[in-house]
Amino acid sequence: MVDDRLAQSFRLIGADYHRYRPGFPDAAAAAILPRRVDAVLDLGAGTGKFTGLLAGRARRVYAVEPSEQMLAVLRATLPAVDARIGSAEHIPLADASVDAVTVAQAFHWFDRDPACAEIARVLRAGGVLGMLWNDADPACTWDRACHRIAHPGLVGEGGEPSAASDLAVAAEPPTASDPAAIIGELPGFAFERMTTHPWSERITRDDYVQRWLTVSSFLAADPPMRAQMVAAVEQVLDTDPATAGRAAFTLPQITDVFVYRVLS
């Protein structure tokens, strides 16, 4: 089940979320929308970290997000987007009104069955649902260590933000080798493909630490526990050869994209 306490933790951090959270590579948007479409909905759009990549791929771009604070940031940075308050379970769009729905870093917070029914409702025949998560590069030992601090109870090496680990926060850790099994069957949809897109960003140490303070487990922790978690992240950065004594470093990322098609 979705942990409502964790899910609600993002509601009041719009500016910090937009400043510190990573973006996404354009290749991830191309993997979902290889051709321009008439209309696309970015669902659970947050501050628009992914929404901006859709502008050149659709004539109309909608963004739906339950947090007023996050949506205010999106409206300020992407004024051409039709941004609306709403949720995955109650999408404020008409039936068969979009060709594609994208969900970046958010599907694990949805109530799966009603959300899938709503997404299917707003999609036109043959429309696609594209979900994506940024994941830690397995070769980056210091970032993986920090992910384990954020989510010590997860099976495996991952942590937020990632497809497998984000879903594990809300449900059971995936164990199957089939990429589609990470998410599982979605009612009303057929799995089509998964693609993986490596990329990297240059980030300062201070911004990297601040990024973790926008992650649900840090946000939901009480102040003493949060301080312990931050100290543990800083210890990793102080002791790993790749980060020790450095004010900035290159952070590798992997973006996993999952594409489903609505069943007619």
Side-chain angles (χ1 to χ4, degrees), residues 43-61:
L43 185 58
T47 62
K49 300 291 285 188
F50 184 69
T51 320
L53 297 180
L54 300 173
R57 300 185 179 279
R59 188 174 67 86
R60 290 175 294 170
V61 179

Side-chain angles (χ1 to χ4, degrees), residues 24 137 251:
F24 300 90
D137 187 321
L251 174 61

